Amino acid sequence: RKEVEQDPGPFNVPEGATVAFNCTYSNSASQSFFWYRQDCRKEPKLLMSVYSSGNEDGRFTAQLNRASQYISLLIRDSKLSDSATYLCVVIHTGGSYIPTFGRGTSLIVHP
Amino acid sequence: DAGVTQSPTHLIKTRGQQVTLRCSPKSGHDTVSWYQQALGQGPQFIFQYYEEEERQRGNFPDRFSGHQFPNYSSELNVNALLLGDSALYLCASSTLAGAPNNEQFFGPGTRLTVL
């Protein structure tokens, strides 16, 4: 089993739709969680950190479920500009802080 | 304020050759991490440098080595190139303070093709 798993998609949704992605992780000692966005042939950029209590940034909501070992990203009112690959990142403790990226979930928002 | 810069942007090498990639971190950042991103995959952590020393290392062979200079810039060296080394190599900078919860800023990457 991979340390961090994501459904690669693509998720094809119309503008205005709500879409959610999940990311599961295998190491229960994982400590820090992030969502990054990567546009085609560009570098990843931080979208948001994921806090234990859940957090929201405009149309984006991130949640953490430690019991089931997954994080989620919800995008409301999708825009064409949201089309990208969304990468989840997990960092676990245990003497090192090596970030582990998922393979990413591709989102395509169409008119 | 310049962000993270990397050079070159593209590189073509043949099997068995050696390559050096360069990275300048964002102003104010003291930590540089290197990642390999194969097509259709997420970035894989290679190693991280802080205070000119390798601080952490991912699951990569010794053919992958690096260096950090006093001005915090960094190099990634790969020896005895294999076809499987073809990938986008990303450099990310951050500050050690606040780790592991602080943001990493990525450079545009170097696309390496091994023929």
Side-chain angles (χ1 to χ4, degrees):
Chain A
R1 182 184 174 187
K2 287 188 175 180
E3 283 193 59
V4 178
E5 294 201 61
Q6 293 184 255
D7 179 347
F11 284 61
N12 256 290
V13 303
E15 275 186 288
T18 296
V19 62
F21 313 133
N22 280 346
C23 168
T24 59
Y25 59 94
S26 59
N27 191 326
S28 59
S30 297
Q31 174 182 350
S32 301
F33 309 88
F34 306 88
W35 284 102
Y36 276 73
R37 168 192 170 131
Q38 186 171 27
D39 293 301
C40 187
R41 304 187 75 82
K42 298 284 189 180
E43 71 273 20
K45 293 183 179 179
L46 180 67
L47 179 65
M48 59 198 303
S49 303
V50 185
Y51 302 123
S52 297
S53 55
N55 47 300
E56 188 174 308
D57 183 3
R59 298 181 293 108
F60 299 84
T61 301
Q63 292 194 315
L64 166 64
N65 186 317
R66 286 194 183 274
S68 300
Q69 295 184 201
Y70 73 87
I71 63 172
S72 63
L73 178 67
L74 180 78
I75 305 176
R76 291 180 298 278
D77 189 22
S78 298
K79 311 292 185 190
L80 295 177
S81 58
D82 293 334
S83 298
T85 295
Y86 292 84
L87 300 158
C88 73
V89 184
V90 175
I91 302 176
H92 61 264
T93 56
S96 68
Y97 295 114
I98 294 178
T100 302
F101 280 74
R103 65 176 295 181
T105 296
S106 175
L107 171 65
I108 301 172
V109 182
H110 57 81
Chain B
D1 174 28
V4 180
T5 60
Q6 292 187 243
S7 63
T9 54
H10 295 84
L11 205 51
I12 299 175
K13 292 284 188 179
T14 56
R15 281 178 295 175
Q17 285 189 310
Q18 177 264 343
V19 68
T20 297
L21 311 181
R22 296 176 176 82
C23 170
S24 290
K26 185 176 168 66
S27 178
H29 285 184
D30 55 15
T31 302
V32 172
S33 302
W34 286 93
Y35 293 84
Q36 179 194 68
Q37 187 174 24
L39 199 61
Q41 301 297 317
Q44 299 296 306
F45 179 85
I46 302 174
F47 41 53
Q48 182 183 77
Y49 277 84
Y50 170 71
E51 290 191 337
E52 302 179 51
E53 291 192 359
E54 184 182 291
R55 187 169 172 269
Q56 300 180 95
R57 188 179 183 92
N59 189 25
F60 278 79
D62 292 345
R63 299 187 296 111
F64 290 76
S65 63
H67 190 77
Q68 185 180 35
F69 300 94
N71 67 352
Y72 307 116
S73 67
S74 178
E75 288 182 349
L76 164 66
N77 301 292
V78 187
N79 294 324
L81 285 167
L82 304 173
L83 295 179
D85 295 331
S86 295
L88 179 68
Y89 287 84
L90 293 161
C91 167
S93 76
S94 57
T95 56
L96 192 69
N101 297 313
N102 51 342
E103 178 179 358
Q104 291 192 81
F105 290 81
F106 284 84
T110 294
R111 191 163 296 279
L112 173 65
T113 302
V114 182
L115 302 177

